[in-house]
Amino acid sequence: MSSYMGHRLTGTNLTPPFNKLNKKSFDTYFSSIKAAFWGLETKGFRSIHSPIESAMSSTAGLVIPCKAAVAWEAGKPLVIEQVEVAPPQALEVRIKIKYTSLCHTDLYFWEAKGQTPLFPRIFGHEAAGIVESVGEGVSDLKVGDHVLPVFTGECGECRHCQSEESNMCDLLRINTDRGVMISDGKSRFSIDGVPINHFLGTSTFSEYTVVHRGCLAKLNPLAPLDKVCVLSCGISTGLGATLNVAKPKKGSSVAVFGLGAVGLAAAEGARIAGASRIIGVDLNPSRFEEAKKFGVTEFVNPKEHDRPVQQVIAEMTNGGVDRSVECTGHIDAMIAAFECVHDGWGVAVLVGVPNKEAVFMTKPINLLNERTLKGTFFGNYKPRTDLPSVVEMYMNKKLELDKFITHRLPFSDINKAFELMLKGQGLRCIINMEE
Ligand code: NAD
Ligand code: ZN
Ligand code: ZN
């Protein structure tokens, strides 16, 4: 039996209008009303209570049955199951996921090679959705708000949240091993009363999910959710790693290791910062053609050289690059990314998620020679405070997102997105939760 608070909403006792509006019709209805009312809201009619709120709130406090892609075992295809999603508890929000995409971090933890295995689990952390209901104490988000869930949060009160320099919130910082909500140590997902683990506090491979309020960034309602969903992890991470952490100067040289979506977003950051040389490093030569659209000016495939890639880059740049950003998760690339920066001023930033047992080895003299090694989660952005402005960069056409979106798939084909990433094909694959 489920121990969740709230009533169960099962297939047989669905209450109208949820019953009527379930799945596709629910959203079509919702979107048309929403479109009509955003217009009014932006013209100063915010106080109007739209039918959206009553439609959405009909499920508040109830357990929602819906589809989710469950990973039962490491490396085995996900299975679309009917799960029950409990109502949000204090400071939590239940959201309807509209679009999600796959980031390599999902893949690592699904493969569970060199990571802590935790199954059954609902993966997914790069997504966009709409608030369905809020738990007690949530005052700054309401039903119908558009949101991006983020794998690392911002409580707003701890020393990290108070610091201008850190986004490593004491309460809500990334925790890849936790499969439950922090408030009560329980999962909000279950199948026939058996709990299913969360992933990164987001679990977006589900039509509905419950997220701590501090892990949700409120969005400009005009932002297209099928595009800005990629800002909820990969693109903001890469962009911020360059702009906020590596901080290249105009005219400088930047090496980017790994030309997946995160690395190409790092390259985009280098282009925006005015770097004059952007050197892309990847083992997969098919990445190079794509990378040209992101301002990458030169390419190095470590496999094509008989000496270490850091040496190749040092030779190309008269002693080393000014900045490097590592976006592969492989320890050799991390070490090379550090050792290829110029002495005296070079800064290397690690972004890739390594194997749990990986150890970073370099000679201390490389640091003494005035190189700096840094690392970052989510590009140092505070999700609630900073993410809306990254969305505005897209809305103001300062940041292109379309070029990162190479595939689209219906939710029923989610395993194909895993296959694409395993084969190194494409950048981001947007999964439409309604198909
Ligand atoms: P991706 O699979 O799309 O891209 C990774 C690229 O790295 C691939 O093109 C691959 O060929 C290349 N690569 C692998 N090993 C390499 C090596 N030794 N040398 C050079 N290139 C190599 O993955 P992604 O979604 O872009 O994610 C990239 C990394 O960033 C992953 O490790 C992911 O877990 C991590 N990540 C970190 C954060 C963070 O906040 N720190 C956030 C998101 C993703
Ligand atoms: Zn990610
Ligand atoms: Zn905090």
Side-chain angles (χ1 to χ4, degrees):
M1 274 299 288
S2 161
S3 58
Y4 302 121
M5 286 172 62
H7 310 283
R8 289 162 68 92
L9 184 74
T10 64
T12 47
N13 70 358
L14 293 174
T15 47
F18 181 77
N19 199 13
K20 265 195 300 194
L21 300 175
N22 203 1
K23 315 241 184 301
K24 259 201 170 124
S25 57
F26 176 89
D27 294 312
T28 315
Y29 170 82
F30 174 72
S31 313
S32 57
I33 294 171
K34 189 110 194 157
F37 275 86
W38 286 130
L40 291 176
E41 286 193 4
T42 50
K43 291 190 182 90
F45 290 92
R46 278 201 87 84
S47 61
I48 287 179
H49 257 277
S50 69
I52 309 158
E53 300 204 359
S54 47
M56 300 286 278
S57 63
S58 68
T59 49
L62 302 174
V63 171
I64 296 183
C66 70
K67 279 187 288 177
V70 177
W72 290 100
E73 278 179 73
K76 294 276 161 60
L78 308 186
V79 183
I80 305 271
E81 305 273 11
Q82 167 109 338
V83 299
E84 296 196 327
V85 185
Q89 301 301 300
L91 298 182
E92 294 173 358
V93 178
R94 188 162 56 184
I95 59 177
K96 178 162 179 41
I97 299 294
K98 300 286 286 181
Y99 299 93
T100 186
S101 39
L102 180 61
C103 164
H104 211 128
T105 311
D106 296 303
L107 199 92
Y108 287 143
F109 285 85
W110 165 74
E111 286 184 312
K113 292 180 193 157
Q115 313 292 357
T116 309
L118 188 61
F119 296 92
R121 204 169 198 186
I122 298 175
F123 286 102
H125 64 283
E126 199 175 89
I130 298 177
V131 173
E132 174 271 338
S133 63
V134 301
E136 208 184 305
V138 177
S139 54
D140 49 352
L141 283 176
K142 63 178 187 328
V143 174
D145 279 345
H146 289 198
V147 287
L148 296 181
V150 182
F151 65 83
T152 194
E154 185 182 353
C155 76
E157 284 160 24
C158 71
R159 277 194 315 154
H160 289 272
C161 287
Q162 300 284 322
S163 156
E164 272 181 24
E165 291 176 311
S166 172
N167 68 346
M168 296 297 295
C169 174
D170 274 334
L171 183 69
L172 299 168
R173 70 170 59 177
I174 181 171
N175 183 331
T176 55
D177 294 343
R178 187 168 51 219
V180 291
M181 299 303 288
I182 49 168
S183 65
D184 58 4
K186 289 182 183 159
S187 170
R188 302 286 172 262
F189 298 108
S190 63
I191 298 179
D192 297 330
V194 177
I196 310 292
N197 287 292
H198 292 245
F199 179 61
L200 299 184
T202 50
S203 292
T204 60
F205 298 162
S206 176
E207 290 179 310
Y208 287 88
T209 188
V210 177
V211 178
H212 192 284
R213 189 275 156 270
C215 299
L216 287 171
K218 187 169 163 174
L219 280 187
N220 177 343
L222 300 176
L225 297 183
D226 66 329
K227 306 230 165 105
V228 296
C229 64
V230 296
L231 290 175
S232 104
C233 179
I235 311 309
S236 303
T237 294
L239 189 74
T242 306
L243 292 178
N244 302 333
V245 189
K247 297 184 184 165
K249 298 197 172 109
K250 207 166 186 303
S252 61
S253 56
V254 178
V256 176
F257 285 70
L259 301 176
V262 177
L264 291 175
E268 190 75 352
R271 189 188 60 76
I272 292 170
S276 59
R277 291 181 75 180
I278 305 176
I279 302 171
V281 183
D282 206 298
L283 301 171
N284 175 356
S286 72
R287 292 290 193 203
F288 297 154
E289 207 39 54
E290 204 136 40
K292 286 182 189 158
K293 292 184 218 149
F294 295 81
V296 179
T297 55
E298 291 145 88
F299 300 96
V300 179
N301 186 341
K303 283 195 209 155
E304 287 171 5
H305 298 273
D306 52 10
R307 50 205 194 287
V309 64
Q310 47 272 55
Q311 197 180 324
V312 174
I313 294 173
E315 286 162 16
M316 288 165 70
T317 54
N318 195 20
V321 280
D322 301 312
R323 300 289 186 265
S324 76
V325 187
E326 178 281 330
C327 307
T328 73
H330 287 265
I331 190 66
D332 296 345
M334 293 182 174
I335 294 168
F338 170 61
E339 292 182 352
C340 80
V341 299
H342 207 287
D343 57 6
W345 59 79
V347 178
V349 178
L350 306 187
V351 176
V353 174
N355 276 0
K356 234 172 66 176
E357 309 303 334
V359 177
F360 190 99
M361 291 222 288
T362 192
K363 293 186 177 142
I365 191 71
N366 291 329
L367 285 146
L368 294 178
N369 285 343
E370 304 188 354
R371 293 182 180 89
T372 304
L373 177 63
K374 293 180 163 193
T376 176
F377 276 116
F378 202 54
N380 200 235
Y381 287 120
K382 289 186 196 289
R384 287 164 68 185
T385 306
D386 300 331
L387 201 45
S389 65
V390 183
V391 172
E392 287 318 301
M393 277 174 83
Y394 165 71
M395 297 300 279
N396 300 331
K397 302 196 175 8
K398 287 196 188 117
L399 174 66
E400 275 182 52
L401 294 181
D402 294 73
K403 60 189 179 185
F404 288 99
I405 299 167
T406 52
H407 296 81
R408 287 185 181 272
L409 283 172
F411 186 37
S412 52
D413 278 345
I414 188 166
N415 286 306
K416 287 192 186 152
F418 280 71
E419 284 164 28
L420 287 168
M421 188 164 265
L422 280 168
K423 286 190 207 144
Q425 284 174 3
L427 298 172
R428 280 304 192 248
C429 174
I430 306 292
I431 295 159
N432 185 341
M433 300 302 287
E434 285 158 21
E435 289 177 0

